[in-house]
Amino acid sequence: MTLATDLQRVIHLSPARQNQICFRAEIKQQPGSVAVTLKPTMDFFDQGRTVFNDNDALYSSMVFHTGMTVGSIEQWCLAHGLVYERQDSINLSRRSSDNLGSWFASQRDAMIGHMVGWIEQQRSTNDLFKSYAYDVGKCHRDFTLFSGAVYNDLSNGTTTHVAATANMYWSATGEPVSRRPQETSIHNELKRWLTERSQVFHPQQTAELLALYDLFLNIIEHGARPELVNFSHNNNDYIRITVYE
Amino acid sequence: MNDAWNTFSHTHRSFDTSETVPQSLRNTLWDQAQSSTDLWQPIFLEDADLIRWIYDQSTIPVIDSYKLPNYIDRKNSQLLAPLLIVLPMIYSSEKSNQLHYETGRVYSSLALTAIQQGWQTGFCICFENNTVGNRLKELGIMRQDVHFGSLPFLSIGHHMPTQPWGWAEDIGIDLKGPLKKIKESYITMT
């Protein structure tokens, strides 16, 4: 057994909440030492099983379990006479997600109403939309999906949900679905409409909202590339432990 | 791998409640828990009646079918232990994550210290934390300015030797599952 595989085992034996994993771990072997980086993430977390009512409480629980794993590694190093260094970056307070979900829910009908009117106008003035047929029920579905994805990603500091929603504009075989130019145009208009109302957000959230929308449009046009998708719950939080051999 | 870490990975249930954790181990753990009393209040509970009352506040909702067919009602028997430890935090919303992280580290230290002295551990976050917190405050055990947050109880004892470590006595079912549903794919090694 090498030091790296021992550490892998220590990490995997750390008690998990309801058998669920609260972080990603990277183990990097380097001359004379092994670096372990833990990043809290919801990637492996079954939220259907959680007892928590909000993302902040859930994230706190995940950070607690990440801390347990760090403590377990530290105890293992002490028990085996190994020297280690620890670097923490868990000092960021979570952005409050209060009101974001309810705001999107409250705006949904207005958003759909605006977009239906805008599409009707385009059908009479814009050649791109001359033959564009639409269904209000599908508008409702798509905007509900989109607003839910934005809410989740803004709350969690991820891009996963928006990327997955945008990727629905591509078929399973990697071909773009039909009407992509119209969809891009529609979402540009929706971005403009949302931007006008984004003063309800914290400035940082406004910037993140617009960045998420740019990502959304990018994926509609070009497809989802792995480098566009951030699965980490909050990619600024990490712990790195370097264990010396 | 040292057996201690295998033991640590288990949430033991149905402890032998006739036992008492020796004062020497209790003192060792108490000293460890004092490491950051500016962040949390160490609470060690050994009163059997109070522990059973806390256990009674851990009923799993009937709609929860986790691991159990037919939606069997149950409680979290890992809370029925000779010693329960919790480190409610001196709450600060700005430092909430840092506090949870630090308490996580100390929970591991406490648990592995007990395990290395031949004891077993369990963890339980599924209890009515407002009800339990209020009761502990009424009893003068818990300070008014501390907060359970998303912390579990750490239980220490020996599970009944006649039963498997995951045995839930109230429903007569072994609740131990696979170590983790997800194998080691969340760990990358280069």
Short mmCIF file of all heavy atoms in Angstrom, two decimals, chain A residues 51-111:
data_model
loop_
_atom_site.label_atom_id
_atom_site.label_comp_id
_atom_site.label_asym_id
_atom_site.label_seq_id
_atom_site.Cartn_x
_atom_site.Cartn_y
_atom_site.Cartn_z
N VAL A 51 -33.23 16.19 5.28
CA VAL A 51 -34.23 16.72 6.20
C VAL A 51 -34.17 18.24 6.23
O VAL A 51 -34.93 18.87 6.94
CB VAL A 51 -34.02 16.19 7.63
CG1 VAL A 51 -34.19 14.70 7.68
CG2 VAL A 51 -32.65 16.60 8.18
N PHE A 52 -33.26 18.82 5.47
CA PHE A 52 -33.06 20.26 5.56
C PHE A 52 -34.03 21.02 4.67
O PHE A 52 -34.40 20.57 3.60
CB PHE A 52 -31.62 20.62 5.18
CG PHE A 52 -30.64 19.96 6.07
CD1 PHE A 52 -29.79 18.99 5.59
CD2 PHE A 52 -30.59 20.29 7.42
CE1 PHE A 52 -28.90 18.36 6.43
CE2 PHE A 52 -29.69 19.66 8.26
CZ PHE A 52 -28.85 18.69 7.76
N ASN A 53 -34.39 22.19 5.16
CA ASN A 53 -35.38 22.99 4.45
C ASN A 53 -34.76 23.99 3.48
O ASN A 53 -35.46 24.59 2.69
CB ASN A 53 -36.24 23.77 5.45
CG ASN A 53 -37.07 22.82 6.29
OD1 ASN A 53 -37.53 21.80 5.79
ND2 ASN A 53 -37.25 23.15 7.55
N ASP A 54 -33.47 24.22 3.58
CA ASP A 54 -32.87 25.20 2.69
C ASP A 54 -31.45 24.77 2.36
O ASP A 54 -30.83 23.96 3.04
CB ASP A 54 -32.90 26.60 3.30
CG ASP A 54 -32.09 26.67 4.58
OD1 ASP A 54 -30.87 26.72 4.49
OD2 ASP A 54 -32.69 26.63 5.67
N ASN A 55 -30.93 25.37 1.29
CA ASN A 55 -29.61 24.99 0.81
C ASN A 55 -28.51 25.35 1.80
O ASN A 55 -27.49 24.67 1.87
CB ASN A 55 -29.34 25.68 -0.52
CG ASN A 55 -30.05 24.97 -1.66
OD1 ASN A 55 -30.28 23.77 -1.60
ND2 ASN A 55 -30.41 25.72 -2.68
N ASP A 56 -28.68 26.45 2.53
CA ASP A 56 -27.63 26.84 3.44
C ASP A 56 -27.43 25.80 4.54
O ASP A 56 -26.31 25.46 4.89
CB ASP A 56 -27.96 28.21 4.07
CG ASP A 56 -27.79 29.34 3.07
OD1 ASP A 56 -27.25 29.08 1.98
OD2 ASP A 56 -28.20 30.46 3.37
N ALA A 57 -28.54 25.29 5.10
CA ALA A 57 -28.42 24.27 6.15
C ALA A 57 -27.84 22.99 5.57
O ALA A 57 -27.02 22.32 6.21
CB ALA A 57 -29.80 24.01 6.76
N LEU A 58 -28.24 22.65 4.36
CA LEU A 58 -27.70 21.45 3.73
C LEU A 58 -26.20 21.61 3.49
O LEU A 58 -25.41 20.71 3.77
CB LEU A 58 -28.42 21.20 2.41
CG LEU A 58 -27.91 20.05 1.56
CD1 LEU A 58 -27.94 18.74 2.34
CD2 LEU A 58 -28.75 19.91 0.30
N TYR A 59 -25.81 22.78 3.01
CA TYR A 59 -24.39 23.01 2.74
C TYR A 59 -23.58 22.95 4.04
O TYR A 59 -22.48 22.39 4.07
CB TYR A 59 -24.19 24.35 2.04
CG TYR A 59 -22.78 24.53 1.52
CD1 TYR A 59 -22.32 23.76 0.45
CD2 TYR A 59 -21.92 25.44 2.09
CE1 TYR A 59 -21.03 23.90 -0.02
CE2 TYR A 59 -20.63 25.60 1.62
CZ TYR A 59 -20.19 24.83 0.57
OH TYR A 59 -18.91 24.98 0.10
N SER A 60 -24.13 23.50 5.11
CA SER A 60 -23.44 23.44 6.40
C SER A 60 -23.21 21.99 6.81
O SER A 60 -22.15 21.63 7.31
CB SER A 60 -24.26 24.15 7.48
OG SER A 60 -24.34 25.51 7.23
N SER A 61 -24.21 21.15 6.59
CA SER A 61 -24.06 19.73 6.92
C SER A 61 -22.96 19.10 6.06
O SER A 61 -22.17 18.29 6.54
CB SER A 61 -25.39 19.01 6.70
OG SER A 61 -25.23 17.63 6.93
N MET A 62 -22.91 19.49 4.81
CA MET A 62 -21.88 18.93 3.93
C MET A 62 -20.49 19.38 4.36
O MET A 62 -19.54 18.60 4.34
CB MET A 62 -22.17 19.36 2.49
CG MET A 62 -23.43 18.72 1.96
SD MET A 62 -24.00 19.55 0.48
CE MET A 62 -22.61 19.31 -0.56
N VAL A 63 -20.38 20.66 4.76
CA VAL A 63 -19.08 21.16 5.22
C VAL A 63 -18.68 20.44 6.51
O VAL A 63 -17.51 20.11 6.71
CB VAL A 63 -19.13 22.69 5.43
CG1 VAL A 63 -17.87 23.18 6.10
CG2 VAL A 63 -19.33 23.39 4.09
N PHE A 64 -19.66 20.17 7.37
CA PHE A 64 -19.38 19.42 8.60
C PHE A 64 -18.78 18.05 8.26
O PHE A 64 -17.78 17.63 8.83
CB PHE A 64 -20.67 19.24 9.41
CG PHE A 64 -20.53 18.27 10.55
CD1 PHE A 64 -19.99 18.68 11.76
CD2 PHE A 64 -20.92 16.95 10.42
CE1 PHE A 64 -19.84 17.79 12.81
CE2 PHE A 64 -20.77 16.04 11.46
CZ PHE A 64 -20.22 16.47 12.66
N HIS A 65 -19.40 17.34 7.31
CA HIS A 65 -18.90 16.02 6.95
C HIS A 65 -17.55 16.09 6.25
O HIS A 65 -16.72 15.19 6.42
CB HIS A 65 -19.93 15.28 6.10
CG HIS A 65 -21.06 14.75 6.92
ND1 HIS A 65 -22.15 15.51 7.27
CD2 HIS A 65 -21.25 13.55 7.51
CE1 HIS A 65 -22.96 14.80 8.03
NE2 HIS A 65 -22.44 13.60 8.19
N THR A 66 -17.33 17.15 5.49
CA THR A 66 -16.00 17.34 4.91
C THR A 66 -14.99 17.54 6.03
O THR A 66 -13.89 16.99 6.00
CB THR A 66 -16.01 18.55 3.95
OG1 THR A 66 -17.07 18.39 3.01
CG2 THR A 66 -14.69 18.68 3.22
N GLY A 67 -15.38 18.33 7.04
CA GLY A 67 -14.51 18.54 8.20
C GLY A 67 -14.22 17.23 8.92
O GLY A 67 -13.10 17.00 9.38
N MET A 68 -15.21 16.36 9.02
CA MET A 68 -14.98 15.05 9.66
C MET A 68 -13.92 14.27 8.89
O MET A 68 -13.07 13.59 9.49
CB MET A 68 -16.28 14.24 9.69
CG MET A 68 -17.21 14.64 10.81
SD MET A 68 -18.56 13.44 11.02
CE MET A 68 -17.69 12.08 11.78
N THR A 69 -13.97 14.33 7.58
CA THR A 69 -12.98 13.60 6.79
C THR A 69 -11.59 14.20 6.99
O THR A 69 -10.60 13.46 7.11
CB THR A 69 -13.38 13.64 5.30
OG1 THR A 69 -14.69 13.09 5.18
CG2 THR A 69 -12.41 12.83 4.45
N VAL A 70 -11.52 15.53 7.05
CA VAL A 70 -10.24 16.18 7.31
C VAL A 70 -9.72 15.73 8.67
O VAL A 70 -8.54 15.36 8.82
CB VAL A 70 -10.39 17.71 7.25
CG1 VAL A 70 -9.12 18.40 7.75
CG2 VAL A 70 -10.72 18.16 5.83
N GLY A 71 -10.60 15.73 9.68
CA GLY A 71 -10.20 15.29 11.01
C GLY A 71 -9.72 13.85 11.01
O GLY A 71 -8.75 13.50 11.69
N SER A 72 -10.38 13.02 10.23
CA SER A 72 -9.99 11.62 10.15
C SER A 72 -8.60 11.48 9.54
O SER A 72 -7.77 10.69 10.01
CB SER A 72 -11.03 10.85 9.32
OG SER A 72 -10.67 9.51 9.20
N ILE A 73 -8.33 12.24 8.49
CA ILE A 73 -6.99 12.20 7.87
C ILE A 73 -5.94 12.68 8.87
O ILE A 73 -4.87 12.08 9.01
CB ILE A 73 -6.97 13.08 6.59
CG1 ILE A 73 -7.85 12.48 5.51
CG2 ILE A 73 -5.54 13.25 6.09
CD1 ILE A 73 -8.05 13.38 4.30
N GLU A 74 -6.27 13.74 9.59
CA GLU A 74 -5.31 14.26 10.57
C GLU A 74 -5.01 13.22 11.65
O GLU A 74 -3.85 13.03 12.03
CB GLU A 74 -5.87 15.54 11.21
CG GLU A 74 -5.93 16.72 10.26
CD GLU A 74 -6.52 17.95 10.92
OE1 GLU A 74 -7.70 17.89 11.30
OE2 GLU A 74 -5.82 18.96 11.04
N GLN A 75 -6.06 12.57 12.15
CA GLN A 75 -5.86 11.54 13.18
C GLN A 75 -5.04 10.38 12.64
O GLN A 75 -4.22 9.80 13.35
CB GLN A 75 -7.22 11.05 13.71
CG GLN A 75 -8.01 12.09 14.49
CD GLN A 75 -7.26 12.62 15.69
OE1 GLN A 75 -6.75 11.83 16.49
NE2 GLN A 75 -7.15 13.93 15.81
N TRP A 76 -5.28 10.04 11.40
CA TRP A 76 -4.52 8.94 10.79
C TRP A 76 -3.04 9.31 10.67
O TRP A 76 -2.17 8.50 10.96
CB TRP A 76 -5.11 8.60 9.41
CG TRP A 76 -4.55 7.35 8.83
CD1 TRP A 76 -4.93 6.07 9.09
CD2 TRP A 76 -3.47 7.27 7.89
NE1 TRP A 76 -4.17 5.19 8.38
CE2 TRP A 76 -3.26 5.90 7.63
CE3 TRP A 76 -2.68 8.20 7.26
CZ2 TRP A 76 -2.28 5.45 6.75
CZ3 TRP A 76 -1.69 7.77 6.38
CH2 TRP A 76 -1.50 6.40 6.14
N CYS A 77 -2.77 10.55 10.26
CA CYS A 77 -1.38 11.01 10.17
C CYS A 77 -0.71 10.97 11.55
O CYS A 77 0.43 10.52 11.69
CB CYS A 77 -1.32 12.42 9.61
SG CYS A 77 -1.74 12.53 7.86
N LEU A 78 -1.44 11.45 12.57
CA LEU A 78 -0.87 11.46 13.92
C LEU A 78 -0.59 10.03 14.39
O LEU A 78 0.44 9.75 15.00
CB LEU A 78 -1.84 12.16 14.88
CG LEU A 78 -1.99 13.67 14.69
CD1 LEU A 78 -3.15 14.21 15.53
CD2 LEU A 78 -0.70 14.39 15.05
N ALA A 79 -1.53 9.12 14.11
CA ALA A 79 -1.37 7.73 14.54
C ALA A 79 -0.19 7.05 13.85
O ALA A 79 0.38 6.09 14.39
CB ALA A 79 -2.65 6.94 14.27
N HIS A 80 0.18 7.54 12.67
CA HIS A 80 1.26 6.92 11.91
C HIS A 80 2.53 7.77 11.89
O HIS A 80 3.44 7.50 11.11
CB HIS A 80 0.79 6.62 10.48
CG HIS A 80 -0.25 5.54 10.44
ND1 HIS A 80 -1.59 5.78 10.71
CD2 HIS A 80 -0.16 4.21 10.20
CE1 HIS A 80 -2.27 4.65 10.63
NE2 HIS A 80 -1.43 3.68 10.33
N GLY A 81 2.57 8.79 12.73
CA GLY A 81 3.77 9.61 12.84
C GLY A 81 4.11 10.38 11.57
O GLY A 81 5.30 10.65 11.31
N LEU A 82 3.09 10.75 10.79
CA LEU A 82 3.34 11.46 9.54
C LEU A 82 3.13 12.96 9.73
O LEU A 82 2.18 13.39 10.41
CB LEU A 82 2.40 10.95 8.45
CG LEU A 82 2.64 9.50 8.01
CD1 LEU A 82 1.46 8.99 7.20
CD2 LEU A 82 3.94 9.39 7.22
N VAL A 83 4.01 13.73 9.12
CA VAL A 83 3.89 15.19 9.19
C VAL A 83 2.96 15.65 8.08
O VAL A 83 3.01 15.14 6.96
CB VAL A 83 5.28 15.83 9.02
CG1 VAL A 83 5.18 17.36 8.96
CG2 VAL A 83 6.20 15.40 10.16
N TYR A 84 2.09 16.60 8.41
CA TYR A 84 1.18 17.11 7.39
C TYR A 84 0.99 18.61 7.55
O TYR A 84 1.23 19.17 8.63
CB TYR A 84 -0.18 16.40 7.45
CG TYR A 84 -0.99 16.71 8.68
CD1 TYR A 84 -1.89 17.77 8.68
CD2 TYR A 84 -0.82 15.96 9.85
CE1 TYR A 84 -2.62 18.08 9.83
CE2 TYR A 84 -1.54 16.26 10.98
CZ TYR A 84 -2.44 17.32 10.96
OH TYR A 84 -3.14 17.63 12.11
N GLU A 85 0.56 19.23 6.47
CA GLU A 85 0.18 20.65 6.51
C GLU A 85 -1.24 20.76 5.99
O GLU A 85 -1.62 20.05 5.06
CB GLU A 85 1.09 21.49 5.59
CG GLU A 85 2.51 21.66 6.09
CD GLU A 85 3.36 22.41 5.08
OE1 GLU A 85 3.04 22.40 3.87
OE2 GLU A 85 4.36 22.99 5.51
N ARG A 86 -1.99 21.68 6.57
CA ARG A 86 -3.38 21.83 6.16
C ARG A 86 -3.63 23.27 5.73
O ARG A 86 -3.21 24.21 6.39
CB ARG A 86 -4.30 21.48 7.32
CG ARG A 86 -5.69 21.06 6.92
CD ARG A 86 -6.58 20.84 8.12
NE ARG A 86 -7.02 22.09 8.67
CZ ARG A 86 -6.74 22.51 9.91
NH1 ARG A 86 -6.06 21.75 10.73
NH2 ARG A 86 -7.17 23.68 10.33
N GLN A 87 -4.31 23.41 4.59
CA GLN A 87 -4.68 24.75 4.11
C GLN A 87 -6.19 24.75 3.92
O GLN A 87 -6.74 23.95 3.17
CB GLN A 87 -3.96 25.00 2.77
CG GLN A 87 -4.26 26.35 2.17
CD GLN A 87 -3.63 26.49 0.78
OE1 GLN A 87 -2.96 25.60 0.30
NE2 GLN A 87 -3.89 27.62 0.14
N ASP A 88 -6.87 25.66 4.64
CA ASP A 88 -8.33 25.71 4.59
C ASP A 88 -8.82 26.92 3.82
O ASP A 88 -8.24 27.99 3.92
CB ASP A 88 -8.92 25.84 6.00
CG ASP A 88 -8.55 24.67 6.89
OD1 ASP A 88 -8.20 23.62 6.35
OD2 ASP A 88 -8.63 24.83 8.12
N SER A 89 -9.86 26.75 3.10
CA SER A 89 -10.58 27.90 2.54
C SER A 89 -12.07 27.64 2.68
O SER A 89 -12.77 27.36 1.72
CB SER A 89 -10.21 28.11 1.08
OG SER A 89 -10.96 29.20 0.57
N ILE A 90 -12.51 27.65 3.93
CA ILE A 90 -13.94 27.41 4.21
C ILE A 90 -14.47 28.62 4.96
O ILE A 90 -15.30 28.54 5.81
CB ILE A 90 -14.11 26.12 5.06
CG1 ILE A 90 -13.64 24.92 4.28
CG2 ILE A 90 -15.56 25.86 5.45
CD1 ILE A 90 -14.56 24.48 3.18
N ASN A 91 -13.92 29.76 4.67
CA ASN A 91 -14.31 30.93 5.46
C ASN A 91 -15.31 31.83 4.74
O ASN A 91 -15.58 32.93 5.17
CB ASN A 91 -13.08 31.74 5.85
CG ASN A 91 -12.24 32.08 4.66
OD1 ASN A 91 -12.64 31.79 3.54
ND2 ASN A 91 -11.09 32.68 4.88
N LEU A 92 -15.82 31.35 3.60
CA LEU A 92 -16.77 32.20 2.88
C LEU A 92 -18.16 32.02 3.45
O LEU A 92 -18.62 30.90 3.61
CB LEU A 92 -16.79 31.83 1.40
CG LEU A 92 -15.47 31.99 0.67
CD1 LEU A 92 -15.58 31.44 -0.72
CD2 LEU A 92 -15.12 33.47 0.61
N SER A 93 -18.80 33.12 3.75
CA SER A 93 -20.19 32.97 4.16
C SER A 93 -21.01 32.71 2.90
O SER A 93 -20.70 33.20 1.82
CB SER A 93 -20.67 34.24 4.86
OG SER A 93 -20.52 35.34 4.01
N ARG A 94 -22.04 31.94 3.05
CA ARG A 94 -22.89 31.61 1.91
C ARG A 94 -23.70 32.82 1.50
O ARG A 94 -24.18 33.58 2.33
CB ARG A 94 -23.83 30.46 2.26
CG ARG A 94 -23.11 29.19 2.59
CD ARG A 94 -22.68 28.44 1.35
NE ARG A 94 -23.82 28.12 0.52
CZ ARG A 94 -23.94 28.46 -0.76
NH1 ARG A 94 -23.02 29.15 -1.35
NH2 ARG A 94 -25.01 28.10 -1.44
N ARG A 95 -23.86 32.98 0.21
CA ARG A 95 -24.80 34.02 -0.24
C ARG A 95 -26.19 33.59 0.21
O ARG A 95 -26.56 32.43 0.14
CB ARG A 95 -24.77 34.12 -1.75
CG ARG A 95 -23.51 34.71 -2.30
CD ARG A 95 -23.64 34.85 -3.79
NE ARG A 95 -23.94 33.60 -4.43
CZ ARG A 95 -23.02 32.72 -4.77
NH1 ARG A 95 -21.76 32.95 -4.52
NH2 ARG A 95 -23.33 31.60 -5.38
N SER A 96 -26.96 34.55 0.62
CA SER A 96 -28.34 34.21 0.97
C SER A 96 -29.13 33.95 -0.29
O SER A 96 -29.05 34.71 -1.25
CB SER A 96 -28.97 35.36 1.74
OG SER A 96 -30.35 35.12 1.85
N SER A 97 -29.85 32.88 -0.31
CA SER A 97 -30.71 32.59 -1.46
C SER A 97 -32.15 33.00 -1.16
O SER A 97 -33.06 32.71 -1.92
CB SER A 97 -30.64 31.11 -1.82
OG SER A 97 -30.98 30.34 -0.70
N ASP A 98 -32.33 33.69 -0.02
CA ASP A 98 -33.68 34.11 0.35
C ASP A 98 -34.32 34.90 -0.78
O ASP A 98 -33.67 35.74 -1.39
CB ASP A 98 -33.64 35.01 1.60
CG ASP A 98 -33.25 34.21 2.81
OD1 ASP A 98 -33.19 32.98 2.71
OD2 ASP A 98 -32.96 34.84 3.84
N ASN A 99 -35.54 34.66 -1.01
CA ASN A 99 -36.37 35.42 -1.96
C ASN A 99 -36.11 35.12 -3.43
O ASN A 99 -36.89 35.50 -4.28
CB ASN A 99 -36.26 36.94 -1.75
CG ASN A 99 -36.62 37.33 -0.35
OD1 ASN A 99 -37.52 36.74 0.22
ND2 ASN A 99 -35.93 38.30 0.21
N LEU A 100 -34.98 34.49 -3.75
CA LEU A 100 -34.70 34.24 -5.16
C LEU A 100 -35.74 33.32 -5.79
O LEU A 100 -36.29 33.61 -6.85
CB LEU A 100 -33.32 33.59 -5.33
CG LEU A 100 -32.14 34.53 -5.51
CD1 LEU A 100 -30.86 33.72 -5.62
CD2 LEU A 100 -32.33 35.38 -6.74
N GLY A 101 -35.99 32.20 -5.10
CA GLY A 101 -36.95 31.24 -5.65
C GLY A 101 -38.33 31.84 -5.75
O GLY A 101 -39.03 31.70 -6.77
N SER A 102 -38.75 32.55 -4.68
CA SER A 102 -40.09 33.13 -4.70
C SER A 102 -40.17 34.24 -5.73
O SER A 102 -41.21 34.46 -6.35
CB SER A 102 -40.49 33.63 -3.32
OG SER A 102 -39.56 34.58 -2.86
N TRP A 103 -39.04 34.97 -5.93
CA TRP A 103 -39.05 36.04 -6.94
C TRP A 103 -39.28 35.43 -8.33
O TRP A 103 -40.13 35.90 -9.09
CB TRP A 103 -37.75 36.84 -6.93
CG TRP A 103 -37.81 38.00 -7.89
CD1 TRP A 103 -38.38 39.21 -7.65
CD2 TRP A 103 -37.34 38.03 -9.23
NE1 TRP A 103 -38.28 40.00 -8.77
CE2 TRP A 103 -37.64 39.31 -9.76
CE3 TRP A 103 -36.68 37.11 -10.05
CZ2 TRP A 103 -37.31 39.69 -11.05
CZ3 TRP A 103 -36.34 37.49 -11.34
CH2 TRP A 103 -36.66 38.77 -11.84
N PHE A 104 -38.53 34.39 -8.66
CA PHE A 104 -38.71 33.77 -9.97
C PHE A 104 -40.13 33.23 -10.13
O PHE A 104 -40.75 33.36 -11.18
CB PHE A 104 -37.69 32.65 -10.20
CG PHE A 104 -36.42 33.14 -10.81
CD1 PHE A 104 -35.25 33.22 -10.08
CD2 PHE A 104 -36.38 33.56 -12.14
CE1 PHE A 104 -34.08 33.70 -10.64
CE2 PHE A 104 -35.21 34.03 -12.71
CZ PHE A 104 -34.06 34.10 -11.96
N ALA A 105 -40.63 32.62 -9.04
CA ALA A 105 -42.00 32.09 -9.11
C ALA A 105 -43.00 33.21 -9.34
O ALA A 105 -43.94 33.08 -10.14
CB ALA A 105 -42.33 31.33 -7.83
N SER A 106 -42.78 34.35 -8.66
CA SER A 106 -43.73 35.47 -8.79
C SER A 106 -43.65 36.12 -10.17
O SER A 106 -44.62 36.74 -10.62
CB SER A 106 -43.46 36.52 -7.70
OG SER A 106 -42.24 37.19 -7.97
N GLN A 107 -42.50 36.00 -10.82
CA GLN A 107 -42.31 36.65 -12.11
C GLN A 107 -42.66 35.75 -13.29
O GLN A 107 -42.64 36.18 -14.44
CB GLN A 107 -40.84 37.09 -12.26
CG GLN A 107 -40.40 38.14 -11.26
CD GLN A 107 -41.16 39.44 -11.46
OE1 GLN A 107 -41.23 40.00 -12.54
NE2 GLN A 107 -41.76 39.93 -10.37
N ARG A 108 -42.93 34.47 -13.00
CA ARG A 108 -43.06 33.51 -14.10
C ARG A 108 -44.18 33.89 -15.07
O ARG A 108 -43.96 33.93 -16.29
CB ARG A 108 -43.29 32.10 -13.55
CG ARG A 108 -43.23 31.03 -14.63
CD ARG A 108 -43.24 29.66 -14.01
NE ARG A 108 -44.39 29.47 -13.14
CZ ARG A 108 -44.43 28.64 -12.11
NH1 ARG A 108 -43.39 27.92 -11.82
NH2 ARG A 108 -45.52 28.52 -11.38
N ASP A 109 -45.34 34.21 -14.55
CA ASP A 109 -46.45 34.55 -15.43
C ASP A 109 -46.15 35.82 -16.23
O ASP A 109 -46.45 35.91 -17.43
CB ASP A 109 -47.75 34.71 -14.63
CG ASP A 109 -48.27 33.38 -14.12
OD1 ASP A 109 -47.80 32.34 -14.63
OD2 ASP A 109 -49.12 33.38 -13.22
N ALA A 110 -45.55 36.81 -15.54
CA ALA A 110 -45.20 38.06 -16.25
C ALA A 110 -44.16 37.77 -17.33
O ALA A 110 -44.22 38.32 -18.45
CB ALA A 110 -44.66 39.07 -15.24
N MET A 111 -43.21 36.90 -17.01
CA MET A 111 -42.15 36.55 -17.95
C MET A 111 -42.75 35.86 -19.18
O MET A 111 -42.45 36.22 -20.33
CB MET A 111 -41.20 35.57 -17.22
CG MET A 111 -39.83 35.40 -17.82
SD MET A 111 -38.89 34.10 -16.94
CE MET A 111 -38.85 34.68 -15.27
#
